[in-house]
Amino acid sequence: MYAKKNLTHLKDLDAQAPAGMKAFWDFDRAAFEDGALSAKMKQIIAVAVALTTQCPYCIDLHGAAARKAGASDAELAEAALVAAAIRAGGAITHATHLWSERT
């Protein structure tokens, strides 16, 4: 299902829902600007979120943007481990529901 060429169809969304897509693109741009967090840190966060949601488009796009913003291999590796810990932690904490019927 994943094919990077599918991203060329974003223009179709832009054409079919111009107001909503303009609002999305404006929001997306603003979200990644330097602020309390640097643009680099925001891209590293985006990589970790993308790894957690397992979106190949986001992993590819934000991985490249993070590198362009100056993220190192070590920073991206640590972000990947944080994503893995959060994902595993979710499984562990949700496992507590297995006993919720007994209490």
Side-chain angles (χ1 to χ4, degrees), residues 1-11 55-65:
M1 179 166 186
Y2 169 73
K4 195 167 181 179
K5 68 179 178 164
N6 290 341
L7 295 177
T8 63
H9 294 291
L10 287 172
K11 69 181 182 318
C55 174
Y57 298 102
C58 293
I59 293 166
D60 187 30
L61 295 172
H62 290 288

Side-chain angles (χ1 to χ4, degrees), residues 39-62:
K40 173 184 153 183
M41 182 57 62
K42 290 178 179 186
Q43 289 297 341
I44 292 170
I45 291 168
V47 168
V49 171
L51 291 168
T52 303
T53 61
Q54 299 180 334
C55 174
Y57 298 102
C58 293
I59 293 166
D60 187 30
L61 295 172
H62 290 288

Side-chain angles (χ1 to χ4, degrees), residues 88-103:
I92 296 299
T93 56
H94 278 84
T96 63
H97 293 272
L98 296 169
W99 289 271
S100 64
E101 295 295 319
R102 295 170 54 189
T103 58

